[in-house]
Amino acid sequence: MSELEGRWSDGRTSRILAVRVRMASPDVLGLEPVEGAAMLWPIGEVSISPRLGRTPRVLRRSGHGQVECPDSPLLDQWFPHGSGRIEGFADWLERRRAAILVAAAVVLVLTVGFVHLGLPAIAKVAAERMPRTVERHASDQAVALLERMHLDPSRLPDARQRQLRQAFARLVAREPRAGEMALHFAHAPGIGPNAFALPDGRIYVTDDLVAMAGNDAELMAVLAHEAGHHVHRHGMRGALESSSIFLLAGVLFGDASGSSLAVSIPATLLSNGFSRTHERQADMYAFALLKRRGRSPQAFADVMRRLSKGVPKGLEKGALGYLSSHPPSPERIAAAEAAAR
Ligand SMILES: [Zn+2]
């Protein structure tokens, strides 16, 4: 076989002509219609479409239209230089579906690995170098957002607030970053019994949580956990991680509507809470701190039990309570009781 069946079109009208394609002479391609005169195309003026799997090839000559013909080894003889390296590679991939699947799996594993290991590691390093002004600015914005949604001035008497602030200051005295920690109280029935730490060290406690805790030892156990979040910079790390995931998703899926730190902080604090790793780390910190102060982590187990039982009416479902960000799981209670022994 030394010729191919092709379909020629002039590239301007819809007319299509069946032609036989063969080498008319060295370096000249002959296109012979069933009727009419043959067209002679010098090879040097003809470009060939890349080979892509089993798709037909297209030969083009500027100003003279194009011929579509089935792929064939003949074309490799006629066009020994093919259509370029990148197309050759694309064709190589196209013909090796297994290679594509393996490559896709590798990309997936690398992406998941990066999100689970790489991002948290980068976020940790970045959070440790984050200037105070950035922490404060991000926290201000988060508070502004939270105030619009949930937080009102506390209804606790001033004397009671002062008493709890002093007890908390004694609890965290001489701890790392203790000077930055400040206790704030808020009336926020919308988020129920709740406490959270902002990246700059502000720790919020809702009136509902104060009312629900069985005693101040239990309240301090919850605050020790929040202090752990601040010591380990979980607020900034979580915000960096989640905004990086949005950013990464934007890059990967072409939607670059990344979320700002300010938006992701309240989301981190109230919806899904910190990562399990951060929660466990804050728990461990709290148990160790309580023991260093001669207190028992049992108080932590007690308050977790109380929170899991006595959720106020109207807050059982869908409410943004301490429960949603800090599920009082049996594992956490067991860990506190083991630390108390
Ligand atoms: Zn927590």
Side-chain angles (χ1 to χ4, degrees):
M1 188 183 77
S2 60
E3 59 179 39
L4 296 171
E5 303 283 338
R7 289 149 54 85
W8 172 86
S9 63
D10 62 10
R12 290 182 295 271
T13 66
S14 58
R15 192 165 66 111
I16 289 176
L17 219 56
V19 291
R20 268 202 267 272
V21 187
R22 59 186 180 84
M23 290 304 275
S25 65
D27 299 329
V28 178
L29 217 51
L31 278 54
E32 294 169 7
V34 182
E35 336 176 332
M39 293 173 272
L40 295 175
W41 286 11
I43 284 281
E45 296 177 14
V46 181
S47 69
I48 181 167
S49 68
R51 171 174 284 130
L52 267 178
R54 294 176 193 82
T55 56
R57 309 290 294 272
V58 180
L59 313 180
R60 283 191 188 83
R61 184 183 174 205
S62 179
H64 294 78
Q66 63 178 49
V67 185
E68 192 183 292
C69 52
D71 195 15
S72 154
L74 267 184
L75 291 169
D76 292 328
Q77 292 173 25
W78 299 346
F79 298 89
H81 304 298
S83 57
R85 247 180 228 180
I86 291 173
E87 288 86 350
F89 180 64
D91 175 60
W92 182 86
L93 278 181
E94 176 69 24
R95 281 157 187 270
R96 285 162 182 79
R97 283 174 191 279
I100 295 177
L101 290 177
V102 168
V106 168
V107 168
L108 187 69
V109 167
L110 287 178
T111 308
V112 169
F114 180 67
V115 166
H116 281 272
L117 303 171
L119 274 186
I122 293 170
K124 181 170 186 286
V125 173
E128 278 159 9
R129 282 157 183 71
M130 197 62 73
R132 284 290 290 155
T133 49
V134 175
E135 288 182 339
R136 209 168 296 132
H137 183 68
S139 303
D140 282 344
Q141 290 199 305
V143 168
L145 255 168
L146 287 168
E147 273 173 351
R148 229 179 302 152
M149 295 187 292
H150 305 291
L151 302 182
D152 288 324
S154 170
R155 296 180 184 173
L156 287 180
D158 286 348
R160 176 69 172 139
Q161 293 190 24
R162 205 161 37 242
Q163 181 195 20
L164 288 172
R165 279 202 188 93
Q166 284 166 358
F168 177 68
R170 278 196 301 277
L171 176 72
V172 297
R174 295 185 309 281
E175 288 300 298
R177 310 190 84 204
E180 299 161 3
M181 293 186 219
L183 203 51
H184 292 255
F185 298 94
H187 175 71
I191 57 174
N194 218 323
F196 50 84
L198 291 171
D200 70 347
R202 270 174 270 185
I203 293 174
Y204 275 80
V205 186
T206 64
D207 292 353
D208 282 348
L209 182 65
V210 176
M212 179 173 254
N215 51 51
D216 287 1
E218 289 185 8
L219 203 53
M220 289 303 136
V222 172
L223 293 181
H225 170 94
E226 296 305 326
H229 281 315
H230 184 61
V231 168
H232 289 291
R233 298 173 195 267
H234 289 158
M236 187 54 80
R237 283 162 65 181
L240 286 173
E241 281 173 29
S242 47
S243 47
S244 313
I245 287 171
F246 282 122
L247 205 66
L248 185 70
V251 171
L252 285 179
F253 306 118
D255 170 20
S257 60
S259 136
S260 75
L261 278 181
V263 172
S264 61
I265 287 170
T268 307
L269 294 173
L270 293 180
S271 59
N272 317 313
F274 294 114
S275 73
R276 275 161 189 264
T277 319
H278 289 183
E279 288 309 326
R280 217 172 296 127
Q281 206 171 23
D283 279 358
M284 291 303 134
Y285 172 87
F287 304 158
L289 174 64
L290 291 172
K291 284 164 106 172
R292 279 202 298 280
R293 293 290 179 269
R295 303 173 187 210
S296 172
Q298 182 63 43
F300 190 85
D302 294 344
V303 74
M304 285 291 131
R305 277 218 180 81
R306 202 181 301 281
L307 283 165
S308 58
K309 273 187 223 137
V311 182
K313 283 224 179 317
L315 279 175
E316 298 93 340
K317 261 193 186 170
L320 296 164
Y322 195 75
L323 304 174
S324 68
S325 53
H326 296 79
S329 66
E331 292 81 42
R332 295 182 72 194
I333 293 172
E337 289 180 335
R341 273 183 229 120

